[in-house]
Amino acid sequence: MTNKDPVDVHIGSRLRGAREARHMTLGQVGRDLGLTYQQIRKYESGENRLSASRLYQLSKLLKVEPAYFFRGLGSESDGIMGRASEDPALSAALDRIGNPEIRRHLKGLIDVLDVDFPPERPSSASSDTAS
């Protein structure tokens, strides 16, 4: 049994997120790349490592930047992603924004707005009727 490299597992997870965000099946991705669905599944599980050329083909097919697959690995430049990188559909949508400055500002806004809110209190209207 081989040990899966954590980077391969991360990239595979990002691949699965991008594929699902585009509502594509393993078979569809495989056919578009001339591969079997089993091979795509192995990429997604981190069982098989993706080559740079295959990663580039996948980025074009799934309409994400190649860097999308590496986000969240802990580099300094990924810090701006914050919680936005945890949602593949949101991350894929942000990646489609062509202007990097606008993309950076939107990611920052999402991070600011994505805070833990305290549990919702009963509305004052319902507490007024109870008195």
Side-chain angles (χ1 to χ4, degrees), residues 54-116:
R54 184 72 69 206
L55 201 57
Y56 182 77
Q57 291 169 341
L58 284 162
S59 73
K60 292 300 178 193
L61 175 66
L62 299 171
K63 296 180 177 34
V64 296
E65 293 295 320
Y68 163 85
F69 296 106
F70 298 95
R71 289 204 185 108
L73 285 175
S75 73
E76 296 267 334
S77 63
D78 291 333
I80 196 166
M81 278 300 291
R83 296 191 188 258
S85 67
E86 295 172 12
D87 182 343
L90 176 59
S91 185
L94 288 169
D95 284 340
R96 289 192 296 273
I97 297 171
N99 184 314
E101 190 69 11
I102 292 173
R103 188 171 51 242
R104 183 177 68 79
H105 286 295
L106 283 173
K107 289 173 185 175
L109 178 61
I110 290 166
D111 290 343
V112 168
L113 294 176
D114 189 18
V115 296
D116 294 327

Side-chain angles (χ1 to χ4, degrees), residues 12 15 39-46 48-50 54:
L15 169 58
Q39 182 60 52
I40 304 304
R41 183 193 54 77
K42 288 179 180 182
Y43 287 149
E44 288 186 357
S45 71
N48 285 7
R49 184 168 289 165
L50 282 156
R54 184 72 69 206

